[in-house]
Amino acid sequence: MLLVTAVSVSLAVLNAGPVALSAPPFVIFAASLAFLGFVARPLHLVFTRHPKPFLQLREDVRSNVDWFVGFFVMLVALPLLFDSVTRMKQSIPAMQPFYADPFLIDLDHTLLAGNDAWELTHAVFGDWATRGIDMIYAGWLFVQVALTVLLALSRNPDFRIRVGLSMQLAWLLMGAGLAVTFASVGPCFVDDFYGSDRFAPLMTRLDGYGSLVALDAMEYLLSVQGQMAIGGGISAMPSLHVGIAVLIWLCLRKYWPRWQYLGWAYVAAIYIGSIHLGWHYATDGLVSAAGMVLIWWAVGRYCRWLESFDRDAEQAAGAVA
């Protein structure tokens, strides 16, 4: 996992320069989480009046060395990768002009019998549904952070490696690699970057719903375009929102199968939201969903190889003994 992060940081510095490492919000969050985590235990021992708090702290560290190592790896590898990929995303116009939107628009039309995807969702979902979709979509960031925290705190090494590595590769390969390859802005920004009013009816309809988090976010992204700003960067293909939602479903399906249907519902809500709110074309989510399933499968093969390697090493050590 640290290797994947090192590759991501190197690419970010190569494309965005040393500024790619400045003001890393995810890393600051991770450092804050680590500080709170390591302060909580001593405070707990003090408030519970443990007779030997220092000896207990030493024993805690000694008996949980593997967990502490994994905790630090997660809090270094994941946040640093998120920040570096965000910097690469912000540098897309410098690497390649946005060009893919006309092709993606035509592709949607071909797949949807001459319709734009947003026309279909808005024919089904009205005012209150739109507001609910907007809140669910806006909450994606908190879900992403929650999954990162869960990975850091987990004591299941298989869960940590498979889900953590899958998340890393999703961000790096799709959030950076495919985003640069298929540089596109999405329906909400077509007018601003292409001088086309193709999606003006969609934006007018969204404005009619009043205050939406999505509209505020779009305004912010336009205001910081070309800057290394927190949360900045415009990219449509593929949809990382949908990709991570699919990862959550795959995670639930493997580790908490009783809740996998909740994962399905979340994927559906994020996919519909990506179209309904003007962020993405229909194909953006389909590509990221397929990419996430492929990454999950490949990482699963890698994890099984690690397990067989460890078994062979244990058997060889036993034979020598």
Side-chain angles (χ1 to χ4, degrees), residues 194-217:
Y194 290 85
S196 168
D197 62 355
R198 171 63 179 272
F199 293 99
L202 167 61
M203 302 313 296
T204 300
R205 180 181 285 265
L206 291 174
D207 285 333
Y209 290 123
S211 178
L212 294 177
V213 177
L215 294 177
D216 293 337

Side-chain angles (χ1 to χ4, degrees), residues 294-314:
L294 180 60
I295 288 170
W296 179 260
W297 172 83
V299 173
R301 292 290 298 269
Y302 171 70
C303 289
R304 286 192 290 274
W305 175 80
L306 284 180
E307 291 174 359
S308 64
F309 180 83
D310 289 341
R311 284 196 300 268
D312 292 344
E314 290 177 1

Side-chain angles (χ1 to χ4, degrees), residues 9-49:
V9 172
S10 300
L11 290 173
V13 172
L14 181 64
N15 289 292
V19 72
L21 299 179
S22 64
F26 281 109
V27 172
I28 292 172
F29 168 80
S32 301
L33 179 66
F35 174 76
L36 291 174
F38 286 105
V39 167
R41 179 57 173 165
L43 288 177
H44 175 263
L45 293 175
V46 170
F47 284 119
T48 56
R49 298 183 179 182

